[in-house]
Amino acid sequence: MNFNWVHWGDKMIKVERSEAPAKLTAEKVKELTEEYKKTEKNVWNQDYIKKALLDMSNNKCIFCECRLGEESKYIEVEHFHPKSKYPEEVVEWENLLPICKRCNGLKRDHDTKLEPIINPTLIDPRKHLTIKKFRFFSKDDLGKKTISVLCLNDSDRLFLPRVKIGDAISSILDSLGKWVDKIKFDHSVEDQNELISKMYNLLKSCQPNAEYSTICSYALFEDDNYYEIKNFMQQVKIWDEDLSRLETNCLNYSLIEYGHLKSTV
């Protein structure tokens, strides 16, 4: 599913920190750190570092989940603890994150040691953030500070695009619901296979490696049509293990408060 017409939209998910690139040895870290302290050059701007960061995040900005490397959304190397305040961490692998220009511009030199925000490689955002009606809400002070620093509910660049994504998901589900009504009493294998394929693609767009996956999964699980379609597919025994696996994976990363949905998924 392609949401290229949306430039900004979603929010962070938990990301597993990968191993540091082989070229970033302890000796290289020391060498680059000393160079930065003497010259303030962009010693972190190395292709092997950026590639490793992109691989770690499935080519997405660690905070807003926009796809990096497309259009004008080039990767910038984020220092979670700002290099201006903590130069010793300028190329420490654990301190580096892939980020887009917009998020980097907002975070700037915010001191994350004095006023912590969520680092998605260390902290699961679901413990501190939730989403309702396409807006992010905090569960605690850490979530509140993260929303504030990164302007997670910026109307023009974040909230309105989320609504567009939600509308696109809703339209797809509405079409699938009508398709189910059409084939409910007279369906062929071809009809069933088409429904399976469309549902599979919809759930794929909500996977953690997909662009704007958090908002896609929120829109999906908030829509009653989804459960009606799923119920039909279960009744005719075409809801298979692959679909269940994809659904479970969506729920494991989703920020939605889905406790009330558990009985239906």
Side-chain angles (χ1 to χ4, degrees), residues 234-251:
Q234 289 176 321
Q235 287 171 11
V236 297
K237 302 186 185 309
I238 59 173
W239 183 268
D240 59 24
E241 291 183 2
D242 283 343
L243 293 173
S244 290
R245 176 180 54 79
L246 290 173
E247 181 189 66
T248 299
N249 210 32
C250 294
L251 289 169

Side-chain angles (χ1 to χ4, degrees), residues 129-140:
L129 297 173
T130 188
I131 182 170
K132 296 175 185 176
K133 296 181 179 179
F134 302 102
R135 297 184 69 83
F136 285 84
F137 291 86
S138 60
K139 295 180 177 179
D140 53 23

